[in-house]
């Protein structure tokens, strides 16, 4: 059963650019916080090449005259999220709102209506662009593999059934923790990444190859869950978005 994932990288920047498309050609940074303590939380590639990075203050960023600074806008992000869901619902009646920047689609039965999986992927990507969003689109046989592929590979990725571990293997282990936003989750993610790094495990292929018993003894059920994700064998059902 095929699934698709639409992922919008650097979502706060993407939401701002969707609202102000004239900024597409410029370096842009998104600020958050109360004056005078605003800090940059996200930048586009052009700003990163100028040395602007998340964490620096507004005062420091203002030293760069060519940089467009924008306050983070919940309204813009809400509109971008609605557009993302609209894109997904154009292709499937079963859609999961996985995160503000991530949407999952169940494509079961859609091939007879919309064409092959590569054709559907290209159509989803084009629809996202038409809605003002530059998105990565991935298709695979289970939801979690599609999420990892969309977050790890730029553009369009179609993974044939049975090839999940092979295609995901080159991704860095950090992709497994990309959606851990809470403080406690971040701490746990850092701890696990440091442990894997000490073991020399830096990509999903290496994690997938570890002996299951030894991994379970050291990291428990969470270690086995992460290994299933790395192998592309994790299985779950979507949590469908309820119609308004």
């Amino acid at each position: 059963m095929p699934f698709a994932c639409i992922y919008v990288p650097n979502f706060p920047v993407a939401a701002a650019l969707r609202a102000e498309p004239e900024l597409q050609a410029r370096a842009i940074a998104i600020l958050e916080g109360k004056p005078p303590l605003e800090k940059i939380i996200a930048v586009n590639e052009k700003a990163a090449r100028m040395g602007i990075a998340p964490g620096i203050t507004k005062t420091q960023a203002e030293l760069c005259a060519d940089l467009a600074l924008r306050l983070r806008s919940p309204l813009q992000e809400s509109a971008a999220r609605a557009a993302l869901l609209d894109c997904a619902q154009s292709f499937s009646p079963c859609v999961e709102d996985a995160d503000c920047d991530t949407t999952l689609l169940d494509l079961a039965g859609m091939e007879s209506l919309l064409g092959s999986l590569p054709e559907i992927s290209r159509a989803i990507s084009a629809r996202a662009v038409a809605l003002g969003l530059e998105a990565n689109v991935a298709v695979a046989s289970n939801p979690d593999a599609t999420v990892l592929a969309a977050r790890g590979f730029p553009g369009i990725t179609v993974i044939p059934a049975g090839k999940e571990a092979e295609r995901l293997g080159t991704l860095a282990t950090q992709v497994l923790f990309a959606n851990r936003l809470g403080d406690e989750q971040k701490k746990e993610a850092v701890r696990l990444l440091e442990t894997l790094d000490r073991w020399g495990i830096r990509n999903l292929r290496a994690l997938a190859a570890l002996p299951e018993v030894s991994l379970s003894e050291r990291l428990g059920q969470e270690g086995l869950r992460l290994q299933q994700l790395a192998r592309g064998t994790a299985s779950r059902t979507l949590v469908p978005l309820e119609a308004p």
Side-chain angles (χ1 to χ4, degrees):
M1 181 182 295
F3 296 87
C5 176
I6 313 171
Y7 167 65
V8 180
N10 215 354
F11 189 72
V13 171
L17 291 177
R18 182 175 180 272
E20 298 183 75
E22 64 273 15
L23 295 177
Q24 289 284 352
R26 295 189 59 187
I28 180 173
I30 306 300
L31 295 162
E32 189 173 47
K34 295 181 179 179
L37 302 176
E38 304 104 311
K39 288 188 177 181
I40 288 176
I41 61 164
V43 300
N44 67 353
E45 188 177 343
K46 295 181 181 69
R49 288 200 298 265
M50 295 164 59
I52 307 299
I56 72 172
T57 65
K58 179 183 179 182
T59 303
Q60 292 171 315
E62 285 176 333
L63 296 175
C64 183
D66 295 329
L67 181 67
L69 291 172
R70 294 293 186 271
L71 281 173
R72 186 175 190 179
S73 169
L75 184 61
Q76 290 177 356
E77 292 185 22
S78 177
R81 187 174 191 169
L84 179 60
L85 291 171
D86 179 47
C87 177
Q89 290 170 327
S90 300
F91 295 90
S92 174
C94 182
V95 169
E96 179 181 299
D97 183 11
D99 211 333
C100 64
D101 56 9
T102 308
T103 301
L104 286 159
L105 303 73
D106 186 341
L107 294 179
M110 293 296 105
E111 289 173 88
S112 61
L113 297 172
L114 303 174
S116 67
L117 294 179
E119 288 173 333
I120 295 174
S121 302
R122 289 191 292 270
I124 292 172
S125 178
R127 174 68 175 160
V129 170
L131 290 169
L133 297 170
E134 293 288 339
N136 298 339
V137 178
V139 173
S141 61
N142 68 73
D144 292 317
T146 65
V147 171
L148 293 177
R151 287 178 172 163
F153 299 119
I156 295 171
T157 305
V158 179
I159 302 179
K163 298 291 184 179
E164 294 84 4
E166 180 182 333
R167 290 295 302 277
L168 297 175
T170 58
L171 296 178
T173 50
Q174 284 86 344
V175 75
L176 295 169
F177 306 97
N179 64 335
R180 298 199 175 191
L181 302 179
D183 289 340
E184 288 304 314
Q185 288 181 316
K186 285 182 180 178
K187 290 178 184 178
E188 178 65 8
V190 169
R191 183 187 71 81
L192 288 168
L193 281 170
E194 288 176 347
T195 299
L196 293 172
D197 188 65
R198 285 198 302 271
W199 296 350
I201 306 300
R202 298 182 180 90
N203 61 35
L204 301 195
R205 180 175 293 114
L207 177 57
L210 289 176
E212 293 180 17
V213 174
S214 298
L215 183 63
S216 176
E217 289 173 348
R218 289 162 177 79
L219 296 183
Q221 289 301 310
E222 178 64 4
L224 293 179
R225 187 187 72 83
L226 293 174
Q227 186 177 61
Q228 281 190 325
L229 290 173
R231 291 174 173 174
T233 58
S235 179
R236 68 176 181 87
T237 57
L238 294 193
V239 181
L241 182 70
E242 292 185 9

